[in-house]
Structure formats: structure tokens, C-alpha cells
Amino acid sequence: PDGWEARYDVLAIDGEIHVASGETRYRGEDGAFGPRYANVFVCRFDADGRCTDFTEWWTLERSAED
């Protein structure tokens, strides 16, 4: 609810299909960042550079206790 930070890198580009991966963290009401979410995005773009299809996979970072 109080912000987020993210980092993403391009993994592959094959014509109109682009793949990126990275991580996202959300800040809680107490101001501290919560766990990390690992993300992979697959995007398809048209000839004008607009995204026409978007798929996201994510997983929550496991804690040391898990």
C-alpha cells in the first residue's frame, strides 16, 4: 500500500516477442519492504511498438524457515 521497488532485465528478444525477468518488492504500512516476488514477463508487440499480448509468471520468495 505504501510503494514498491522493482528491477527487470531483458532475457530475450525474438522478433515481436520479448522476455524479461526480475523482482518486485512492496512496502508495507510500516514502511518496511516485504518479501521479494520473482517475475517473468512475455510480451508480444505489434509493428507500432504497442504490446498486444502480456503473460506474467511470478513466485514468492521463500523464507529461511520454509
Side-chain angles (χ1 to χ4, degrees):
D2 291 319
W4 54 275
E5 66 178 25
R7 179 197 56 78
Y8 300 102
D9 296 305
V10 175
L11 289 180
I13 297 175
D14 186 9
E16 64 191 23
I17 299 174
H18 299 191
V19 181
S21 72
E23 65 182 37
T24 307
R25 296 177 71 192
Y26 297 94
R27 194 179 298 274
E29 292 177 4
D30 63 356
F33 281 107
R36 297 176 201 274
Y37 290 84
N39 309 100
V40 173
F41 303 130
V42 178
C43 305
R44 182 182 304 269
F45 292 89
D46 66 14
D48 294 324
R50 291 183 293 238
C51 185
T52 60
D53 189 56
F54 174 81
T55 303
E56 175 185 12
W57 289 275
W58 61 270
T59 186
L60 181 61
E61 175 186 62
R62 294 180 67 173
S63 70
E65 295 83 41
D66 290 342

